[in-house]
Amino acid sequence: MEVFEPTPLTLTKNYQHILALAFAVREINETPQLLPNITLGLQIYDSYFNAKSTYHATMLLMSSLKRFVPNYVCDPQNNLITVIGGLDPLTSLHIATVLDIYKISQITYSPAPVMNDKTPGLPFYQMFPSEEHQHQGILSLLLHFSWKWIVGIVMDNDNGERYVQTVFSLFSQNSICFDFIERVPQIDFLSDLLDKMQESAQIQDKVMESKANVVVAYGESYTLAHFKFATFVLGLGLARNAIKGKVWIGTIQMEAAAFAFQRTWDLGQIHGALSFTVHSSDLPGFHQFVERRNPTSTKRDGFIQDWWERLFNCIFPNPFLSNLEKKICTGEEQLESLPKDMFELRMTGHSYSIYNAIYAVAHALHDISSSLFKHRVIMDGGGLRLLKQRLMQLHQFLSGFSFNNSARDTVSFNQNGEIVSELDLMNWVTSSNNTFNNVKVGRMDPQASQDQAFKINEDDVTWHRSFNQVRPLSLCSDSCHPGSRKTVKEGQPFCCYDCTPCPEGKISDQKDVNDCYKCTDEKYSNKNRDFCLPKEISFLSYEEPLGFILASVSLFFCVITALVLRIFLKHHETPIVKANNRNLTYILLISLLLCFLCVLLFIGQPQKVTCLLQQTAFSIIFSVAVSCVLAKTITVVVAFMATRPGSRMRKWMGKEMANSIVISCSIIQAGICAVWLAISPPYPDADMHSVVNKIVLECNEGSVIFFYLILAYMGFLAMVSFTVAFFARKLPDSFNEAKFITFSMLVFCSVWISFIPTYLSTKGKDMVAVEIFSILASSTGLLGCIFLPKCYIILLKPELNNREQLEGKNHKRGICRYLQPFVSGAGGEAQGGRIVQGA
């Protein structure tokens, strides 16, 4: 078997790939149970990082040994089974371009997404999981540490551009954005070193100036060696900014490697870096195999002498060269003394993939041989041709293939030709003497559940020294604390934002939310707007001071009204009571008593019955009271007009007119209430929004139109009474009661006119309190203005409460200031028909 592996000699660390290849072939050949009667061989070429060398090396595989004759192989014992390579994506693609023609299977041991664009043909196999798992691993790492503001560095080629297009949308969907993405030109060895160093200086300055503390780097196998120029150019004075701590995140294909001339360059910049690599295990015997490797004991290795000279910066004796200043190589130099970025004794992830690739081919060959042996055709000439045909279809045996290697790890391919394996998260740790070490701190297992796929032991992570072992932050803007939301700055990425407090009624209980949300109707936001508190139930109750005071005032005036009624009943035969139409007086007092009592319907938790009675009872009772006042006022006017000689108004005098006024006006209000109750009656309701922190239990009017209609009707009656009384105030002094009715209606109208704006501007139980106060104030105004002067005469001036005083010449002395001066016709109860005239 001939195996191709393009190892760039400029990266001395990659020589381990050759050793892993040779170690695996030796183990298989020393295990006859695996491939009896078949011996594996290998052939290695270098790609030199360019397409021309890669194509030439691939064509050499299609020729006879030691001679470049494409498509001509005369040695029947050397059959090309498969090609393992290459290390970098473009190298793999160039190889596949030739191999597809010959239907030779290819196994890559490093990510090569560009292979998806190769011409359709023989499938290839990848000794690493899908790059999607690596992307998810990096994303999980960024989200775990809340790194939302990062810098991206990629190689300036198609592979790098593909990576940008892939991760940019993936990271953006998870609220991660780039400060900038820098594209690094590819290295063409040392031919343009000065230009590369100048470009490195510009990139370094830009990265160091960035507020982002995290740099995600994606590139080829030599990318990290290119980044090491940053320290070097700083010493040359090409860079302006000193190197400061950053968290470098590398991908699978990147390893801590250095060019030979970089052996003494500082590694401090990558201290604390994190990278994913294919899971690898220590293989029994590999460490000893590598240790025994040296130019004096190794044969048929065309690379080792040049590699040894680069590693140890020495030269083997050569008779054609003289006067060399370099030290002479002895071949006994110790590999353990080398820094790990130059060479590593422990098997790396790439070497482990090569080892598994060889074993995968060997197990597939074993299955092919077993299948042919069963048909007993392998010994004849036809069997050899059949064997070659089966080898061309090697991919059919590798698909879905599975085996256990010597480290007891399971190696298998999925249907897409990708190995099923987890990724290891490695932490790069450097010491003061410039030594390097890889520490496993986590893993990414694509086969695990979503919440278990990524795991990291944060305590094992070593950060860059400038962070003082404190988890670094990488944010464009500081986190918005609960109670605020993010507001994106105009013209900047969405990771750069201002923190705006949540508006009234909304909260945010987490950091960095895009929008605040409302609490449920049963809750309200606290002062800091980061938590929802349950609302308290609110209604005007007897237990609270306001409810208790209003109820007490209501009962107090009920008692006062009852006492006034008792006084009038007790002195019902006196002239001052008779002169004012006793029936209207009793109805008015009873109405006022009920007005004070109806206040109690508004206090306490609203119930269905109380809600039905509140407004209807209040409106009807008040309509009766105002109708009585209107009837008394009209009676005064009619009585005065009836005293004129020849007046026809006398026929309107009597109880019938007053009763008709009271009944008709009250029936209209009762009719409005009946229609209201029939169409849209009031009902108990819970107001969740008027008061922020309370649920107000109230009586919903049902129809607001009817509520304001009954108020308007009462206002109409009051205005008519006020108008009539106002014009009657100029009547002779004997008709002085019109003045008190005028004043009482002025108080009544003022109260209810001011009630409407006050009622509309208040919320919750204060609305109920405003209506109760209006009822009490207007009722008290009627009671005080109309009945207080009469009670004063009855109780304190009884000598004035007689017929002579009502009709005598001394009516101006006081009593006639409070009484109606007529006794006949006003209520049909006075004696005689004489009407007293004022002066």
Side-chain angles (χ1 to χ4, degrees):
M1 179 181 73
E2 299 180 41
V3 183
F4 167 74
E5 195 272 342
T7 304
L9 295 181
T10 49
L11 291 177
T12 56
K13 187 174 183 177
N14 290 343
Y15 182 71
Q16 192 192 90
H17 302 170
I18 298 176
L19 300 181
L21 188 70
F23 178 71
V25 170
R26 193 192 70 169
E27 274 192 346
I28 294 170
N29 289 335
E30 292 177 355
T31 309
Q33 297 85 357
L34 182 57
L35 287 179
N37 300 321
I38 297 179
T39 301
L40 294 182
L42 55 92
Q43 192 171 346
I44 301 172
Y45 292 96
D46 194 348
S47 68
Y48 295 102
F49 290 114
N50 63 73
K52 179 180 178 181
S53 299
T54 302
Y55 284 126
H56 180 262
T58 309
M59 292 302 298
L60 286 174
L61 295 172
M62 307 300 152
S63 304
S64 296
L65 290 177
K66 301 179 182 180
R67 190 173 183 182
F68 182 61
V69 184
N71 300 323
Y72 181 75
V73 179
C74 60
D75 188 352
Q77 291 185 343
N78 291 282
N79 299 295
L80 180 62
I81 298 174
T82 187
V83 172
I84 299 176
L87 179 59
D88 296 317
L90 288 179
T91 302
S92 300
L93 182 60
H94 297 329
I95 296 172
T97 304
V98 177
L99 294 184
D100 279 355
I101 300 174
Y102 297 94
K103 306 305 179 189
I104 302 297
S105 60
Q106 178 184 0
I107 301 177
T108 62
Y109 59 93
S110 186
V114 294
M115 294 285 281
N116 297 323
D117 300 332
K118 75 182 184 69
T119 55
L122 186 69
F124 64 97
Y125 296 87
Q126 307 174 87
M127 298 306 299
F128 53 87
S130 170
E131 268 209 322
E132 294 180 1
H133 304 320
Q134 180 181 214
H135 301 334
Q136 287 294 334
I138 295 177
L139 175 61
S140 299
L141 178 63
L142 295 174
L143 294 177
H144 176 82
F145 291 111
S146 299
W147 293 331
K148 301 297 183 69
W149 186 239
I150 64 176
V151 170
I153 296 183
V154 299
M155 299 303 292
D156 190 12
N157 54 31
D158 293 341
N159 199 33
E161 197 62 35
R162 182 181 287 102
Y163 180 80
V164 170
Q165 298 299 326
T166 302
V167 302
F168 189 86
S169 59
L170 177 63
F171 288 1
S172 298
Q173 292 170 8
N174 291 272
S175 302
I176 298 173
C177 44
F178 292 90
D179 184 6
F180 59 87
I181 298 176
E182 192 67 28
R183 291 163 175 83
V184 181
Q186 298 185 76
I187 287 184
D188 296 325
F189 296 97
L190 304 179
S191 58
D192 52 354
L193 179 59
L194 182 59
D195 292 339
K196 292 297 184 293
M197 287 193 298
Q198 291 176 341
E199 292 177 3
S200 296
Q202 295 174 0
I203 294 174
Q204 175 190 324
D205 285 335
K206 193 172 182 180
V207 171
M208 294 303 129
E209 290 172 356
S210 174
K211 187 178 179 180
N213 283 326
V214 175
V215 182
V216 177
Y218 178 87
E220 321 300 356
S221 58
Y222 53 81
T223 303
L224 188 63
H226 181 88
F227 291 158
K228 291 185 68 176
F229 278 108
T231 307
F232 184 70
V233 297
L234 182 64
L236 296 178
L238 298 176
R240 302 187 309 271
N241 301 319
I243 294 177
K244 61 181 181 180
K246 299 287 183 181
V247 179
W248 292 81
I249 299 178
T251 50
I252 290 179
Q253 56 269 44
M254 294 174 57
E255 288 188 343
F259 298 124
F261 59 85
Q262 295 176 316
R263 67 178 68 248
T264 60
W265 291 11
D266 184 27
L267 293 172
Q269 185 176 6
I270 66 170
H271 178 68
L274 298 166
S275 71
F276 284 95
T277 183
V278 177
H279 171 73
S280 61
S281 301
D282 291 330
L283 297 173
F286 181 73
H287 190 277
Q288 293 77 9
F289 176 79
V290 175
E291 283 183 327
R292 293 193 297 266
R293 203 80 172 181
N294 62 68
T296 57
S297 62
T298 302
K299 299 179 180 180
R300 301 176 64 183
D301 187 340
F303 298 109
I304 190 169
Q305 182 171 323
D306 182 57
W307 170 72
W308 198 272
E309 290 178 342
R310 291 177 178 273
L311 273 179
F312 295 102
N313 195 26
C314 62
I315 189 171
F316 285 97
N318 191 328
F320 300 101
L321 299 175
S322 60
N323 298 325
L324 295 176
E325 296 181 358
K326 287 187 177 181
K327 66 179 181 179
I328 301 300
C329 297
T330 63
E332 301 298 328
E333 288 82 3
Q334 298 297 315
L335 295 175
E336 293 88 343
S337 64
L338 296 171
K340 291 186 177 181
D341 59 333
M342 299 300 294
F343 185 76
E344 192 169 354
L345 293 177
R346 178 185 172 275
M347 180 169 278
T348 64
H350 287 153
S351 298
Y352 191 70
S353 297
I354 294 173
Y355 177 86
N356 288 330
I358 299 297
Y359 265 91
V361 173
H363 282 280
L365 285 175
H366 176 81
D367 289 349
I368 293 173
S369 300
S370 300
S371 175
L372 293 174
F373 181 77
K374 290 179 181 180
H375 292 84
R376 298 185 179 182
V377 294
I378 196 170
M379 298 305 296
D380 55 21
L384 291 175
R385 289 192 298 273
L386 181 59
L387 175 61
K388 291 183 179 181
Q389 293 175 3
R390 299 299 291 271
L391 292 178
M392 290 183 180
Q393 299 174 355
L394 184 66
H395 64 279
Q396 295 180 357
F397 290 86
L398 290 175
S399 181
F401 190 67
S402 178
F403 66 92
N404 292 328
N405 62 15
S406 58
R408 297 184 179 180
D409 287 341
T410 300
V411 180
S412 61
F413 294 98
N414 59 23
Q415 297 301 318
N416 296 325
E418 301 164 340
I419 197 171
V420 179
S421 174
E422 64 181 33
L423 302 177
D424 291 338
L425 179 62
M426 309 303 292
N427 185 206
W428 299 358
V429 182
T430 63
S431 59
S432 57
N433 59 357
N434 216 31
T435 59
F436 169 82
N437 191 29
N438 257 343
V439 180
K440 181 179 177 180
V441 294
R443 66 169 180 80
M444 177 68 187
D445 187 359
Q447 294 178 293
S449 59
Q450 186 173 2
D451 58 335
Q452 297 293 324
F454 177 78
K455 287 188 176 181
I456 184 173
N457 189 351
E458 190 174 342
D459 295 335
D460 293 342
V461 178
T462 300
W463 303 113
H464 194 276
R465 296 176 182 88
S466 61
F467 297 126
N468 295 322
Q469 203 50 31
V470 176
R471 177 201 288 191
L473 299 175
S474 189
L475 300 169
C476 180
S477 302
D478 294 333
S479 295
C480 291
H481 297 291
S484 61
R485 61 185 177 88
K486 296 190 297 185
T487 304
V488 178
K489 296 180 179 179
E490 186 176 356
Q492 296 192 27
F494 61 85
C495 291
C496 302
Y497 49 80
D498 294 320
C499 296
T500 306
C502 291
E504 184 69 31
K506 291 187 175 183
I507 71 159
S508 62
D509 54 3
Q510 296 179 352
K511 288 185 177 181
D512 296 333
V513 298
N514 294 320
D515 198 6
C516 305
Y517 64 90
K518 288 185 178 181
C519 296
T520 59
D521 290 341
E522 294 78 16
K523 296 182 179 181
Y524 70 100
S525 61
N526 62 347
K527 182 179 180 180
N528 295 328
R529 298 175 186 175
D530 58 358
F531 188 75
C532 289
L533 299 173
K535 293 181 179 180
E536 61 178 81
I537 303 298
S538 174
F539 59 89
L540 189 61
S541 65
Y542 293 101
E543 289 77 13
E544 60 182 300
L546 180 60
F548 177 78
I549 292 173
L550 292 176
S552 300
V553 172
S554 172
L555 293 176
F556 172 76
F557 282 106
C558 284
V559 173
I560 297 299
T561 307
L563 290 176
V564 173
L565 179 60
R566 186 176 182 279
I567 292 172
F568 271 70
L569 289 174
K570 183 178 180 180
H571 300 85
H572 70 284
E573 294 297 337
T574 60
I576 198 169
V577 175
K578 289 182 178 181
N580 287 276
N581 194 326
R582 287 180 298 186
N583 290 340
L584 287 179
T585 300
Y586 298 153
I587 294 173
L588 178 58
L589 285 173
I590 293 173
S591 299
L592 292 177
L593 177 64
L594 294 177
C595 285
F596 288 122
L597 285 176
C598 77
V599 167
L600 302 179
L601 293 173
F602 292 84
I603 304 175
Q605 183 172 347
Q607 304 293 334
K608 185 175 182 180
V609 175
T610 56
C611 287
L612 290 173
L613 293 177
Q614 274 183 8
Q615 305 298 346
T616 53
F618 145 72
S619 61
I620 293 174
I621 294 171
F622 254 84
S623 296
V624 173
V626 177
S627 299
C628 290
V629 175
L630 178 62
K632 291 174 69 68
T633 307
I634 293 177
T635 301
V636 171
V637 175
V638 172
F640 173 78
M641 296 176 64
T643 59
R644 295 177 180 178
S647 175
R648 297 181 180 180
M649 298 300 295
R650 284 183 174 274
K651 63 180 180 179
W652 296 102
M653 299 293 293
K655 294 181 180 180
E656 292 76 10
M657 183 189 68
N659 294 339
S660 299
I661 293 173
V662 173
I663 293 173
S664 58
C665 292
S666 301
I667 287 178
I668 294 175
Q669 186 72 294
I672 296 174
C673 292
V675 176
W676 183 9
L677 295 178
I679 296 177
S680 180
Y683 59 90
D685 193 14
D687 184 359
M688 303 283 191
H689 308 291
S690 295
V691 183
V692 174
N693 60 344
K694 295 179 181 179
I695 299 176
V696 180
L697 300 183
E698 62 180 8
C699 289
N700 190 306
E701 287 84 2
S703 174
V704 180
I705 295 177
F706 278 98
F707 173 68
Y708 288 109
L709 184 60
I710 63 172
L711 291 179
Y713 180 73
M714 284 193 301
F716 169 74
L717 293 179
M719 290 301 296
V720 172
S721 299
F722 172 75
T723 303
V724 174
F726 178 79
F727 287 112
R729 80 189 191 285
K730 297 295 184 178
L731 295 176
D733 194 52
S734 299
F735 298 90
N736 203 334
E737 189 180 29
K739 295 181 180 181
F740 297 107
I741 293 176
T742 302
F743 186 70
S744 66
M745 286 296 100
L746 180 63
V747 173
F748 185 91
C749 292
S750 301
V751 169
W752 287 104
I753 289 174
S754 61
F755 161 78
I756 295 177
T758 307
Y759 183 82
L760 294 176
S761 62
T762 54
K763 298 178 180 180
K765 60 184 179 183
D766 292 339
M767 298 177 67
V768 181
V770 167
E771 187 169 359
I772 291 176
F773 177 80
S774 300
I775 293 173
L776 293 175
S778 57
S779 301
T780 304
L782 292 177
L783 180 65
C785 293
I786 296 177
F787 293 100
L788 184 60
K790 297 177 177 61
C791 291
Y792 173 78
I793 297 297
I794 294 173
L795 297 177
L796 300 180
K797 299 291 183 179
E799 68 276 8
L800 300 178
N801 190 10
N802 56 69
R803 186 183 183 90
E804 289 75 15
Q805 289 295 330
L806 289 173
E807 296 180 356
K809 296 180 180 180
N810 298 323
H811 61 277
K812 291 185 179 181
R813 292 171 55 190
I815 185 171
C816 291
R817 296 179 183 180
Y818 309 105
L819 304 177
Q820 242 176 275
F822 58 91
V823 293
S824 63
E829 302 170 1
Q831 300 294 326
R834 184 171 177 270
I835 301 299
V836 180
Q837 298 290 335

